[in-house]
Amino acid sequence: MTDSDLSLDPVVDPAAMRKQYRAQGLDAKELAAHPMDQFSRWFEDAARAAVHGTLYEPNAMVVSTADATGRPSSRTVLMKQYDTDGFVFYTNYDSRKARELAANPYVSLLFPWHPIARQVIVTGVARRTGREESAAYFRLRPHGSQLGAWASAQSSVLMSRDELDAAYAELGARYPEGEQVPVPPHWGGFRIAPETVEFWQGRENRMHDRLRYVARPDGAWDVERLSP
């Protein structure tokens, strides 16, 4: 199929794809004083949409990092906790994102809630969670996920899928269902302390609402409206 063939079919032509957002607007006067309280409101909306089958995995977020030379990389992870101190996710500390965060702790998060025409964009600084906090969450994970944290040397090159499956099977034999799996020393959480939090509400004719909280040195937050 040639480029000209693709351009004739609006189903597969990105330039022909259109979606009008007719959602209710976002007024600065209605925002919570703290961005994490506002996030809680929107996350509850996203979670309810997921219950009704409208949205998939509301806690999925795109984490963007950059290495010491400034080269960026992105991936989707699952946010597992949020509070006034920020957002928490868990990973292998030898993974690409963890190694990049060790060299450059500045990070961006994106919650892409497309079905409800909303996004939340966060910039901030990542720090490792404490060992006890990481261990407490690890013990809440399903048994298979605990084994997977040991079996996968995340981001490393594999010779084949068989290599990964064999490692998982060996761990399954060593730690059968019902037996406690030790917490890997190379596994744990990151907490992202936000410096800016933008709430993006899709509006008709691409006239979107974008309201961004910006942290002040005294711990308070300013809110600014951005042009769409």
Side-chain angles (χ1 to χ4, degrees), residues 12 21 36 46 55 58 66 74 80 95 116 128 153 162 171 185 203 217 219 224 227:
V12 296
Y21 303 125
M36 297 308 294
L55 191 152
S74 299
K80 287 300 180 180
S95 66
I116 58 175
R128 289 189 182 190
D162 292 342
L171 285 160
R203 298 291 301 276
E224 53 194 17
S227 174

Side-chain angles (χ1 to χ4, degrees), residues 3 5 34 42 47 105 134 140 144 156 165 168 186 215 228:
D3 290 343
D5 293 330
H34 196 285
W42 272 29
S134 294
L140 295 176
S156 64
D165 290 341
Y168 184 89
H186 55 270

